[in-house]
């Protein structure tokens, strides 16, 4: 992702620090805030390099909690529509449930599922918060 700093500075756009540990949703939030002030372009000829790793740096339970909590947080904030947030959190939860018995070697699917379920329970109790992931 490449960003012009002028609109970022002019409009005071910042990465939301209430989203610890799961940077993918931080990118969605940042991009949608920036998109309110100009066009977001996808260039078909552009190429990038992803330096991610299959071996997770975030324990499964924390990642699973963030998959739900961050989607709900951003939908409430208005930078991620509910029509995307709900399918996203359901897709993650169902995929983690389906793959828990036979996980990939690099993924803690059972831990992710536990995190998903904990976040859903917190949401039902009215105490869902992305920052709670730091307590897990």
């Amino acid at each position: 992702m490449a960003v012009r700093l002028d609109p970022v500075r002019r409009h005071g756009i910042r990465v939301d620090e209430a989203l610890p540990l799961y940077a993918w949703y931080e990118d969605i939030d940042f991009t949608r805030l920036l998109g309110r002030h100009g066009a977001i372009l996808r260039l078909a000829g552009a190429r990038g390099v992803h330096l991610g790793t299959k071996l997770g740096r975030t324990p499964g339970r924390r990642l699973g909690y963030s998959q739900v909590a961050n989607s709900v947080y951003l939908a409430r904030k208005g930078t991620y529509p509910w029509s995307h947030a709900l399918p996203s959190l359901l897709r993650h939860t169902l995929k983690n449930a389906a793959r828990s018995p036979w996980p990939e070697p690099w993924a803690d699917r059972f831990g992710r599922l536990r995190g998903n379920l904990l976040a859903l329970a917190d949401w039902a109790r009215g105490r869902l918060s992305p920052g709670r992931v730091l307590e897990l």
Side-chain angles (χ1 to χ4, degrees):
M1 181 167 86
V3 177
R4 287 184 54 226
L5 287 180
D6 180 56
V8 172
R9 289 179 179 142
R10 188 169 357 113
H11 299 287
I13 298 170
R14 300 280 182 255
V15 172
D16 189 338
E17 293 186 20
L19 298 170
L21 304 182
Y22 196 29
W24 179 33
Y25 284 176
E26 290 174 357
D27 295 347
I28 291 170
D29 180 54
F30 185 83
T31 302
R32 293 199 182 232
L33 288 171
L34 191 57
R36 294 174 181 171
H37 306 287
I40 302 294
L41 304 175
R42 176 178 287 187
L43 303 174
R47 296 290 180 256
V49 176
H50 186 273
L51 300 176
T53 176
K54 288 285 186 190
L55 299 175
R57 290 171 265 179
T58 302
R61 191 167 58 160
R62 285 182 164 188
L63 176 58
Y65 192 92
S66 292
Q67 288 173 330
V68 172
N70 291 7
S71 290
V72 171
Y73 173 80
L74 293 177
R76 286 177 175 162
K77 182 178 174 180
T79 56
Y80 195 43
W82 284 105
S83 62
H84 288 93
L86 291 175
S88 175
L89 69 87
L90 288 172
R91 182 179 60 252
H92 288 301
T93 302
L94 293 174
K95 188 173 185 177
N96 291 332
R99 293 196 176 170
S100 284
W102 306 278
E104 305 90 335
W106 61 83
D108 176 13
R109 292 289 179 178
F110 184 69
R112 290 180 190 183
L113 178 61
R114 285 178 51 215
N116 295 150
L117 296 176
L118 179 59
L120 290 169
D122 280 356
W123 190 14
R125 287 186 219 117
R127 48 181 236 199
L128 184 67
S129 167
R132 187 169 178 326
V133 73
L134 298 174
E135 300 168 12
L136 303 180

